[in-house]
Amino acid sequence: MPMDPIPDIASLSLAEIAKLVEEAKLPPVEKWNPTHCGDSEMRIARDGTWYHQGSPIGRPAMVRLFSTILRREPDGSHVLVTPVEKLDIVVDDAPFVAVEMKAEGTGRESKLAFRLNTGDLVTAGPEHALRFVEDAAEGDGGPRPYLEVRGGMEALVSRAVYYELAERAIAGGDTPPGIWSDGAFFALEPAA
């Protein structure tokens, strides 16, 4: 099954992005409950690189395909699931990375759409929250932003996109500083 090309969100309006999101059809992984078959020998690194048996998966189409059958289990672990098998996969941080952002509007009228490293599109809002946590892993003490994607899975927002968010937050003048998208406000400061 060929994958659609990765969208260039810079050339799309947010209305066009919303239409693409609505048309996207993912497998119903939440309905599949096959027997656990073992370990996939796959890992998703913090930077979004997918590995199989220690080697990076070099075909973006394969990564995109695997990402459509990824599911987060109630215990927080991740699996690759089909109607007939379920395999463990190690996720170092978040299974996705938000690598590009498109913004329209200002203040409460803002809408922010993100393209993930897998080509998925997500609009931040009440159903796809942004959250910020202290970044102890990097040691710089700065916030680490995450975007809710689906099924309890999140995307780590890339550093470049985080800087765009910070610029919008500073320009917005809200106290505390934060980001508006699709009628929801997300404070830039990590929750205590």
PDB file of all heavy atoms in Angstrom, residues 76 122 162 177:
ATOM      1  N   GLY A  76       1.656   2.129  29.808  1.00  0.00           N
ATOM      2  CA  GLY A  76       2.596   3.127  29.303  1.00  0.00           C
ATOM      3  C   GLY A  76       3.579   2.592  28.286  1.00  0.00           C
ATOM      4  O   GLY A  76       4.286   3.365  27.643  1.00  0.00           O
ATOM      5  N   VAL A 122      -1.182  17.526  12.980  1.00  0.00           N
ATOM      6  CA  VAL A 122      -1.947  17.659  14.221  1.00  0.00           C
ATOM      7  C   VAL A 122      -2.145  19.149  14.491  1.00  0.00           C
ATOM      8  O   VAL A 122      -1.183  19.918  14.443  1.00  0.00           O
ATOM      9  CB  VAL A 122      -1.194  17.024  15.414  1.00  0.00           C
ATOM     10  CG1 VAL A 122      -1.983  17.198  16.706  1.00  0.00           C
ATOM     11  CG2 VAL A 122      -0.894  15.552  15.153  1.00  0.00           C
ATOM     12  N   TYR A 162      10.026  24.753  19.060  1.00  0.00           N
ATOM     13  CA  TYR A 162       9.851  25.330  20.403  1.00  0.00           C
ATOM     14  C   TYR A 162      10.206  26.816  20.393  1.00  0.00           C
ATOM     15  O   TYR A 162       9.500  27.630  20.997  1.00  0.00           O
ATOM     16  CB  TYR A 162      10.699  24.588  21.437  1.00  0.00           C
ATOM     17  CG  TYR A 162      10.785  25.335  22.743  1.00  0.00           C
ATOM     18  CD1 TYR A 162       9.652  25.515  23.533  1.00  0.00           C
ATOM     19  CD2 TYR A 162      11.975  25.902  23.163  1.00  0.00           C
ATOM     20  CE1 TYR A 162       9.713  26.225  24.720  1.00  0.00           C
ATOM     21  CE2 TYR A 162      12.049  26.608  24.350  1.00  0.00           C
ATOM     22  CZ  TYR A 162      10.917  26.769  25.124  1.00  0.00           C
ATOM     23  OH  TYR A 162      10.985  27.483  26.288  1.00  0.00           O
ATOM     24  N   PRO A 177       3.092  33.507  30.478  1.00  0.00           N
ATOM     25  CA  PRO A 177       3.262  33.398  29.030  1.00  0.00           C
ATOM     26  C   PRO A 177       2.736  32.053  28.540  1.00  0.00           C
ATOM     27  O   PRO A 177       2.887  31.038  29.224  1.00  0.00           O
ATOM     28  CB  PRO A 177       4.776  33.485  28.819  1.00  0.00           C
ATOM     29  CG  PRO A 177       5.343  33.959  30.104  1.00  0.00           C
ATOM     30  CD  PRO A 177       4.354  33.664  31.176  1.00  0.00           C
TER      31      PRO A 177
END
